[in-house]
Amino acid sequence: MPGSYLSLALILGSARYGRRCLAIADWAQAQLESATDVVVDRIDPQKLPLSLTDQPLPRQAWQNLERRIDHADAFVVITPEYNHGYPAALKQIIDAVRHPWRAKPVGLISYGGLSGGIRATEQLRQAFAELHAVTLADTVSIVHADRRVDAAHGFRPEPGHVRALATLDLRLRWWAGALADARRRRPYDDMPAGRRTA
Ligand SMILES: Cc1cc2nc3c(=O)[nH]c(=O)nc-3n(C[C@H](O)[C@H](O)[C@H](O)COP(=O)(O)O)c2cc1C
């Protein structure tokens, strides 16, 4: 984090045709971008050549994704809940790169039915812990997303959603600054020989 601005990658979790993710991402991006010191890079699985059978990603696409994740100082992931988990497309993005996630903060926005997607959120914490990324305690959880998203109006947030995203944004900035400073002082992988982890 160069001090002057926050480089934030906004990662969409759903690649589904007709996804509600887009409307929620539009809302989140607009609120996050209301600050002038942030640059948002939207990473959209529909725009990546993801495939369950053609792995790994084509070299150029993989390098491009790695560069974008590497460039970011912080992440906001927007995930729906599918059968108590998060979508396969999101897992592919997470698994596509390894080191660029390290020692960076991840804010989680989830949505779904009655649960508001919190089971997907909790599963994401496990995956990001393995990647040495830091998931924030503060989240945004949207219950009954189907009642809050429509083609005419996009996502209609409740005041609580707006407040929760503002809190997430504050925490994300704290962690992004603290971890960027720490990475600058000492590279995360600067460990004594024999102590390096996967
Ligand atoms: C395959 C599938 C499984 C789902 N499972 C759950 C679930 O376990 N819990 C829940 O709250 N909502 C569940 N839903 C509802 C979705 O969270 C909801 O439709 C959401 O809008 C999907 O995100 P998307 O429209 O951005 O793809 C499921 C939807 C799909 C398509």
Side-chain angles (χ1 to χ4, degrees), residues 1-43:
M1 191 158 150
S4 52
Y5 70 95
L6 172 67
S7 173
L8 172 67
L10 185 72
I11 302 177
L12 277 61
S14 175
R16 196 176 65 84
Y17 180 76
R19 58 193 172 160
R20 296 189 178 95
C21 199
L22 218 43
I24 295 171
D26 286 346
W27 162 72
Q29 185 165 350
Q31 186 167 327
L32 293 165
E33 281 181 336
S34 63
T36 52
D37 61 346
V38 63
V39 175
V40 176
D41 177 21
R42 187 188 282 221
I43 297 180

Side-chain angles (χ1 to χ4, degrees), residues 149-166:
V149 175
D150 61 60
H153 305 98
F155 174 57
R156 288 172 289 107
E158 292 173 0
H161 299 137
V162 175
R163 280 197 303 272
L165 182 54

Side-chain angles (χ1 to χ4, degrees), residues 31-119:
Q31 186 167 327
L32 293 165
E33 281 181 336
S34 63
T36 52
D37 61 346
V38 63
V39 175
V40 176
D41 177 21
R42 187 188 282 221
I43 297 180
D44 181 345
Q46 273 195 2
K47 298 191 172 151
L48 295 170
L50 301 178
S51 155
L52 290 175
T53 52
D54 182 20
Q55 287 291 319
L57 289 181
R59 188 173 171 75
Q60 197 178 344
W62 172 75
Q63 283 177 337
N64 191 30
L65 181 60
E66 182 171 55
R67 187 186 49 72
R68 292 168 75 186
I69 305 266
D70 194 43
H71 183 71
D73 287 310
F75 306 97
V76 171
V77 174
I78 305 179
T79 186
E81 181 169 300
Y82 289 172
N83 296 318
H84 293 201
Y86 55 92
L90 179 54
K91 188 72 164 75
Q92 282 200 307
I93 292 175
I94 293 170
D95 293 345
V97 300
R98 198 155 60 106
H99 282 74
W101 294 111
R102 290 183 166 213
K104 294 180 184 174
V106 183
L108 299 167
I109 299 176
S110 68
Y111 58 100
L114 199 55
S115 76
I118 55 172
R119 290 163 295 212

Side-chain angles (χ1 to χ4, degrees), residues 103 175-188:
W175 279 101
L179 291 175
D181 285 348
R183 290 195 308 275
R184 237 190 329 272
R185 277 200 302 275
R186 183 176 172 190
Y188 185 70

